[in-house]
Amino acid sequence: MSSRTLLRCVCCCIVLAASVASAADNTVRRLLYVATPGVRDYLEYGGHGVAVFDMGAGHKFVKRIPTGGLDQDGKPMNVKGICASATTKRLYVSTLKTLQAIDLQTEKSLWEKAYDKGCDRMAISPDGKFIYLPSLESDHWVVVDGATGDVIARIEPKSGAHNTICGLDGKHAYLAGLKSPILTVCDTCTHTIEKTVGPFAAGIRPFTVNGRQTLCFVCVNELLGFEIGDLVTCQKLHRVQVPGVSMGPVKRHGCPSHGIGLTPDEKEIWVCDAFNQQMHVFDAIAMPPKYVTGIKLRDEPGWITFSLDGKMAYPSTGDLIDVVSHKIIGVLADEKGGMLQSEKMVEIQWDGANPVRTGDQFGLGRVTGP
């Protein structure tokens, strides 16, 4: 075979491989799973169940998956959290009292269990084996077996258990209580407290961490903005206030900023402003972060997360925001065309009939390299 013929064969192989990779990419379907009632127990914001939207088709409504979470009178309870595992092919939804596991492929409920002192916003380990489930603003978290729902460990920071994050590498879980200015860091191998971070200025509300798990960004009571903690030295680093806007009464959560997230590339950090009905964007490359702009929303935001590719921002108001332009390009609407709002949503990517990747209800940074 001549060198020219060999070169042509190599080039053809490269083109073919690229075509196959491109075709494989095109087979991945990106769906947004939105749990309702996801703003308190307000059924007018999207009804009851998990509404599914096609992210690649303009967020068109696809279907609704029935869920449990009913109180003694048969009324749907507040959804408190949502998470999923592509490995175990399961979706989990927590309410005030119960945690429910749903088979992603059959969409059938596998189990629903009640836990001591109720439930709040949980997090799942990357392998899907463990769920760190906070009690409802009480003293403890339980570690739940993702397969059975059985409690296998109990962690008791006595902080008013509320929000939970598992790091991308699965080595640590971060436990924030709204009654404490201290962030608790748990070793996921032993399910025990390894260290604490802070104190911050007040009780911790929503928070997020970067991909390398060196920094945390926390909302705290009485602050329109956020604070930053060093997860290595365990000290608070900065306090960042939103400039040029005033604080006032809010309809829910009782704090000015309830919701914060990093874009996956960690270039920006977005924080909620309920009173002014805005998302505020900061340049996260600078330290402390520098203010960029505000985005007016259709209602008070109480949460923010992002698509895995970093192109879309999802505040709890149901507005669909293009991350690059900071412009609203649409809204989520249910099967009846009604306004859908929720603070509990997660992206799940599918290759044919198999889930292959999941996002997170928190806006986690996803830069894990040096």
Side-chain angles (χ1 to χ4, degrees):
M1 182 183 294
S2 68
S3 59
R4 179 175 295 180
T5 301
L6 178 61
L7 179 61
R8 285 177 179 173
C9 290
V10 171
C11 291
C12 288
C13 289
I14 292 173
V15 171
L16 179 60
S19 299
V20 170
S22 176
D25 289 342
N26 290 334
T27 65
V28 175
R29 191 181 190 196
R30 299 178 301 121
L31 300 178
L32 187 66
Y33 287 67
V34 184
T36 60
V39 178
R40 291 187 174 172
D41 60 352
Y42 301 159
L43 294 176
E44 63 267 31
Y45 287 159
H48 179 221
V50 175
V52 183
F53 297 87
D54 191 332
M55 300 166 66
H59 294 83
K60 179 181 178 181
F61 179 88
V62 176
K63 58 188 172 183
R64 183 178 294 270
I65 301 172
T67 56
L70 304 178
D71 66 16
Q72 59 186 8
D73 298 319
K75 180 182 178 181
M77 292 184 286
N78 309 31
V79 172
K80 299 299 291 182
I82 187 171
C83 61
S85 169
T87 303
T88 62
K89 300 177 175 59
R90 292 188 175 192
L91 176 71
Y92 299 89
V93 178
S94 65
T95 66
L96 294 171
K97 296 182 179 180
T98 67
L99 176 66
Q100 181 179 15
I102 298 169
D103 186 301
L104 277 169
Q105 293 175 310
T106 67
E107 298 177 355
K108 302 297 184 183
S109 178
L110 299 172
W111 47 261
E112 182 177 9
K113 296 187 177 183
Y115 295 86
D116 180 37
K117 304 295 183 181
C119 306
D120 217 315
R121 195 181 292 262
M122 69 292 196
I124 192 168
S125 60
D127 58 12
K129 291 182 178 180
F130 305 117
I131 296 170
Y132 287 81
L133 178 68
S135 56
L136 186 60
E137 303 174 18
S138 189
D139 290 341
H140 68 274
W141 274 255
V142 289
V143 184
V144 174
D145 185 311
T148 64
D150 295 341
V151 174
I152 59 177
R154 182 181 173 108
I155 307 164
E156 197 163 346
K158 296 184 178 179
S159 59
H162 195 45
N163 289 310
T164 321
I165 286 174
C166 271
L168 296 182
D169 61 6
K171 295 180 180 179
H172 293 95
Y174 301 89
L175 318 180
L178 54 74
K179 299 176 184 177
S180 173
I182 299 293
L183 179 66
T184 298
V185 183
C186 176
D187 182 328
T188 56
C189 290
T190 61
H191 307 309
T192 57
I193 295 173
E194 179 180 295
K195 58 186 177 181
T196 59
V197 182
F200 296 94
I204 300 174
R205 308 309 298 270
F207 71 105
T208 192
V209 300
N210 64 348
R212 291 185 291 271
Q213 297 170 73
T214 57
L215 296 173
C216 61
F217 302 80
V218 306
C219 294
V220 298
N221 285 328
E222 309 301 327
L223 173 62
L224 181 49
F226 55 94
E227 295 188 335
I228 303 173
D230 188 317
L231 294 174
V232 179
T233 66
C234 300
Q235 302 299 308
K236 186 177 85 170
L237 297 176
H238 303 288
R239 180 178 174 91
V240 181
Q241 293 181 274
V242 177
V245 294
S246 59
M247 293 194 302
V250 298
K251 291 188 290 188
R252 297 177 289 271
H253 300 301
C255 63
S257 290
H258 190 277
I260 189 167
L262 282 163
T263 53
D265 62 9
E266 300 183 7
K267 292 182 178 180
E268 292 181 340
I269 188 154
W270 294 37
V271 64
C272 293
D273 175 353
F275 176 68
N276 297 291
Q277 296 188 12
Q278 293 187 58
M279 290 304 311
H280 295 292
V281 181
F282 287 78
D283 177 359
I285 301 299
M287 192 56 65
K290 303 299 182 183
Y291 188 73
V292 176
T293 191
I295 304 167
K296 187 68 176 179
L297 306 175
R298 61 179 177 176
D299 201 346
E300 292 188 6
W303 204 263
I304 178 70
T305 190
F306 298 91
S307 59
L308 282 166
D309 62 11
K311 294 180 179 180
M312 293 296 302
Y314 299 109
S316 59
T317 55
D319 295 289
L320 304 173
I321 306 176
D322 176 80
V323 169
V324 172
S325 68
H326 300 146
K327 301 296 184 183
I328 295 174
I329 60 173
V331 295
L332 292 178
D334 64 19
E335 60 267 52
K336 298 179 181 178
M339 176 191 296
L340 191 143
Q341 297 190 36
S342 179
E343 298 174 355
K344 294 86 185 181
M345 59 182 74
V346 64
E347 177 181 348
I348 302 176
Q349 297 182 355
W350 291 78
D351 186 357
N354 295 305
V356 292
R357 191 182 182 198
T358 61
D360 193 277
Q361 60 189 320
F362 290 85
L364 298 181
R366 293 184 177 272
V367 179
T368 56

